[in-house]
Amino acid sequence: MTQMVPAPLNAPTVTERTTAAVGLALSLTFHHLLPLRHRVAAVRALRRLPAARREQVARLDTAVRYVIPSWWPGRIACMEISLATVLATALTGHRASWALGARRLPDAAHAWVDTAEGPVGHDTGDGADRPYTRVLSVP
């Protein structure tokens, strides 16, 4: 007897996964082919789009993390994931801000997505007492 296992309630939809996969492919392509200043310029070009709601961006961030291939030989971390989320959001006709930051002791860099309602993908982890300082926010 075959038993069907229901999908988790918070699993991304097919549309969200498809949009996230395209955003991730663009992010990885940009990351490997373009210097940071050109990636910033590409995100800055999205500033005329209407702002996205935090809930929508959070769903797309979850979808991006869901579609990360396990076979990928390179790095897929906060920089690539946050850019993929911003690009996936743009594919839905909305914009979110791409934030880059740093902290001291221990030195670390981090990238996340900002909305008017708050950050997405900004895991403080063990650094709750040493928050990241935003260095750049685009757009």
Side-chain angles (χ1 to χ4, degrees):
M1 179 170 151
T2 304
Q3 187 175 17
M4 298 298 290
V5 178
L9 294 176
N10 59 355
T13 65
V14 172
T15 303
E16 290 168 340
R17 289 192 313 253
T18 303
T19 305
V22 172
L24 184 60
L26 288 170
S27 173
L28 292 172
T29 302
F30 286 2
H31 183 75
H32 290 288
L33 296 179
L34 300 175
L36 181 61
R37 69 176 184 269
H38 290 147
R39 285 178 269 162
V40 167
V43 173
R44 190 169 282 135
L46 306 173
R47 70 176 167 259
R48 295 187 191 266
L49 293 173
R53 306 251 331 150
R54 186 180 191 284
E55 178 183 323
Q56 176 190 15
V57 176
R59 296 251 336 140
L60 287 170
D61 183 67
T62 300
V64 166
R65 293 169 193 276
Y66 189 88
V67 300
I68 291 174
S70 60
W71 51 264
W72 185 258
R75 173 183 187 260
I76 300 180
C78 61
M79 174 83 74
E80 296 82 10
I81 292 169
S82 59
L83 180 57
T85 302
V86 168
L87 295 172
T89 303
L91 291 171
T92 68
H94 295 88
R95 79 173 146 74
S97 295
W98 189 34
L100 306 174
R103 73 172 182 206
R104 303 270 319 190
L105 301 172
D107 294 342
H110 187 49
W112 65 93
V113 181
D114 262 339
T115 66
E117 300 160 351
V120 175
H122 186 48
D123 180 27
T124 56
D126 64 343
D129 59 335
R130 297 176 316 280
Y132 288 95
T133 300
R134 179 174 293 131
V135 176
L136 177 68
S137 185
V138 185

